[in-house]
Amino acid sequence: MKIVRTIEELRAQLRGQLRTAFVPTMGNLHEGHLSLMRLASQHGDPVVASIFVNRLQFGPAEDFDKYPRTFEDDCEKLERENVYVLFAPDERELYPEPQDYRVSPPHNLGDILEGEFRPGFFVGVTTVVLKLFHCVQPQVAVFGKKDYQQLMIINNMCRQFALPTEVIPAETVRAADGLALSSRNGYLSAAERAEAPQLYAQLQQVKAQVQAGQPLADTEQQAMAQLRLRGWAPDYISIRKRRNLEAPTPAEHRNGEPLVVLAAAKLGATRLIDNLEI
């Protein structure tokens, strides 16, 4: 695996490649990330990964400085997955001047759910992803469905800007007890880690209740109340349409509109997100 630190080196390394597959990450890699690398290898060659902790997507009270940086361990994992190039720029390389030009998703998608509770988050995500796409110039990029809203926003960005990059969605990778793999799981205490699978359990319960015909608003409120009783602080558990993340009307629900339930909740000091298609 070749490790490159500059955009110039990266472009020189990839010149002439016809179907580069790209997986952007912030490092601290786990099995979920590695599954993205494997999926990328099925859709393109060579596979390029990036590691860059993007300051733009962290709010003032969030954990940019504390975000785990495990570069050497990450490199060993990527080597085993036959990644061809790792692009690992520092901030001065990717942001040599203040990033005043930014990508703003539409309010009806970027300012709901995660966007409501993390203002500016998706502006930071879309801006860095667009910049990384221009650096790598991939034909294929892989993103996980665990970040369901992010995946939709990036897919829409590619379509509206006519980017020559196909976005491939990857299924969420879970631990044996159902917890979605996440770098932030490492912040959990032993007791919190034992409790954490309850977020997914609540999503499964929501899915069962929706399929049984229970009113959607009641189902959402019951799930949030159950989490609160267990010591969680939920931001949202929300049932939305898969195609645009808008709330379904009763008529749409009756007519079989494909739905997804999305959740975000704090367990102790750690904020976890998850989702489940219905």
Side-chain angles (χ1 to χ4, degrees), residues 55 74 80 97 118 202 205 253 258 265 270:
R55 188 185 297 271
D74 292 344
R80 291 196 291 269
E97 58 186 271
R118 301 181 68 187
Q202 285 300 320
Q205 181 68 19
H253 179 37
T270 305

Side-chain angles (χ1 to χ4, degrees), residues 101-106 122-123 125-131 133-134 153-165 167:
Y101 288 82
R102 303 194 182 192
V103 180
S104 294
F122 287 120
V123 171
V125 168
T126 50
T127 299
V128 76
V129 169
L130 182 62
K131 194 159 193 177
F133 279 4
H134 282 305
I153 286 172
I154 290 169
N155 201 30
N156 290 356
M157 178 186 75
C158 289
R159 186 181 68 251
Q160 289 206 2
F161 281 115
L163 300 182
T165 302
V167 175

Side-chain angles (χ1 to χ4, degrees), residues 9-226:
E9 288 178 290
L10 175 70
R11 288 177 174 165
Q13 193 66 53
L14 296 177
R15 192 167 291 120
Q17 299 290 349
L18 298 178
R19 192 161 177 81
T20 300
F22 179 45
V23 184
T25 82
M26 293 205 300
N28 192 30
L29 304 182
H30 51 68
E31 179 59 29
H33 294 109
L34 302 182
S35 73
L36 303 184
M37 308 298 164
R38 294 175 204 131
L39 183 58
S41 71
Q42 297 173 24
H43 290 272
D45 181 38
V47 174
V48 177
S50 66
I51 293 178
F52 180 72
V53 183
N54 177 42
R55 188 185 297 271
L56 295 186
Q57 68 193 67
F58 286 80
E62 294 183 337
D63 54 355
F64 174 80
D65 291 322
K66 295 181 181 178
Y67 193 86
R69 289 151 171 91
T70 54
F71 188 74
E72 290 186 5
D73 185 55
D74 292 344
C75 288
E76 291 178 7
K77 291 175 179 176
L78 294 175
E79 284 265 20
R80 291 196 291 269
E81 298 301 330
N82 298 314
V83 169
Y84 176 61
V85 171
L86 170 61
F87 180 43
D90 61 19
E91 282 195 287
R92 288 170 298 179
E93 177 65 20
L94 210 56
Y95 301 132
E97 58 186 271
Q99 188 67 38
D100 298 324
Y101 288 82
R102 303 194 182 192
V103 180
S104 294
H107 296 301
N108 64 341
L109 183 57
D111 295 339
I112 63 172
L113 302 169
E114 283 298 282
E116 177 183 349
F117 288 92
R118 301 181 68 187
F121 171 68
F122 287 120
V123 171
V125 168
T126 50
T127 299
V128 76
V129 169
L130 182 62
K131 194 159 193 177
L132 287 168
F133 279 4
H134 282 305
C135 295
V136 179
Q137 300 179 21
Q139 283 70 47
V140 172
V142 178
F143 290 84
K145 288 174 72 172
K146 185 179 81 71
D147 298 289
Y148 204 92
Q149 188 175 4
Q150 173 180 281
L151 172 64
M152 181 175 290
I153 286 172
I154 290 169
N155 201 30
N156 290 356
M157 178 186 75
C158 289
R159 186 181 68 251
Q160 289 206 2
F161 281 115
L163 300 182
T165 302
E166 177 187 3
V167 175
I168 305 291
E171 295 298 329
T172 301
V173 178
R174 300 183 181 278
D177 58 9
L179 177 64
L181 299 190
S182 168
S183 297
R184 288 191 167 89
N185 293 351
Y187 297 153
L188 299 169
S189 68
E192 289 168 345
R193 175 61 187 82
E195 170 64 21
Q198 284 300 316
L199 183 61
Y200 184 53
Q202 285 300 320
L203 296 184
Q204 291 175 305
Q205 181 68 19
V206 167
K207 179 176 181 177
Q209 290 173 331
V210 170
Q211 290 176 333
Q214 182 165 308
L216 303 187
D218 292 349
T219 302
E220 294 169 343
Q221 292 303 314
Q222 288 172 14
M224 292 180 68
Q226 286 296 318

